[in-house]
């Protein structure tokens, strides 16, 4: 995998959004870290956390008959983390200290996911 090209695709994707995230990461649904930008966090730890969140979300949605996992939004006192399922194989994590509009971010992220998925396929 060409990690430099993947990082470039992540940066380009983040800049398309109405607000640029503090950091962005991609991992596999199995919890394997692929790449993040900027690179100041422990990637394997991010991948494990996002995988755990997805698994818990899948279980919750299944038990409540709410369908399959598509995304998760986690809000804390210091920030907001969006975890989006990309196709069937990857998770995209966007982290913000604050957002102006969650709807605008989600709408833009979902509509631009195909561009990022294509970049993953091309690697």
């Amino acid at each position: 995998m060409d990690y430099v090209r993947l990082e470039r695709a992540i940066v380009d994707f983040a800049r398309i959004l109405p607000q640029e995230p503090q950091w962005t990461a991609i991992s596999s649904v199995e919890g394997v870290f692929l790449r993040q930008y900027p690179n100041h966090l422990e990637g394997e730890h991010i991948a494990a956390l996002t995988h755990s969140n997805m698994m818990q979300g899948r279980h919750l949605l299944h038990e409540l008959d709410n369908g399959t996992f598509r995304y998760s939004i986690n809000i804390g006192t210091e920030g907001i983390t969006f975890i989006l399922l990309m196709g069937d194989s990857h998770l995209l994590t966007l982290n913000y200290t604050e957002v102006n509009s969650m709807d605008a971010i989600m709408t833009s992220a979902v509509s631009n996911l195909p561009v990022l998925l294509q970049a993953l396929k091309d690697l």
Side-chain angles (χ1 to χ4, degrees), residues 27-31 44-60 69 72 74 83 91:
S27 61
S28 73
V29 294
E30 294 84 15
E44 295 298 328
H45 187 65
I46 292 169
L49 292 172
T50 56
H51 172 75
S52 173
N53 183 278
M54 179 201 63
M55 295 304 291
Q56 188 274 336
R58 280 184 171 172
H59 179 69
L60 174 75
F69 179 87
S72 171
N74 300 277
I83 301 170
L91 293 170

Side-chain angles (χ1 to χ4, degrees), residues 90-105:
H90 294 91
L91 293 170
L92 172 68
T93 306
L94 306 169
N95 193 73
Y96 292 88
T97 52
E98 61 182 55
V99 297
N100 295 328
S101 169
M102 290 193 322
D103 287 340
I105 290 169

Side-chain angles (χ1 to χ4, degrees), residues 13-64:
F13 179 86
R15 290 183 177 155
I16 290 171
L17 300 173
Q19 256 182 279
E20 195 167 328
Q22 183 180 7
W23 57 265
T24 306
I26 294 180
S27 61
S28 73
V29 294
E30 294 84 15
V32 176
F33 171 73
L34 296 177
R35 203 68 176 164
Q36 66 176 332
Y37 185 82
N39 300 319
H40 65 278
L41 300 169
E42 172 53 50
E44 295 298 328
H45 187 65
I46 292 169
L49 292 172
T50 56
H51 172 75
S52 173
N53 183 278
M54 179 201 63
M55 295 304 291
Q56 188 274 336
R58 280 184 171 172
H59 179 69
L60 174 75
L61 293 168
H62 174 75
E63 290 297 316
L64 298 175

Side-chain angles (χ1 to χ4, degrees), residues 4-18:
V4 173
R5 283 184 57 200
L6 180 55
E7 187 173 303
R8 179 80 249 153
I10 292 170
V11 170
D12 291 344
F13 179 86
R15 290 183 177 155
I16 290 171
L17 300 173

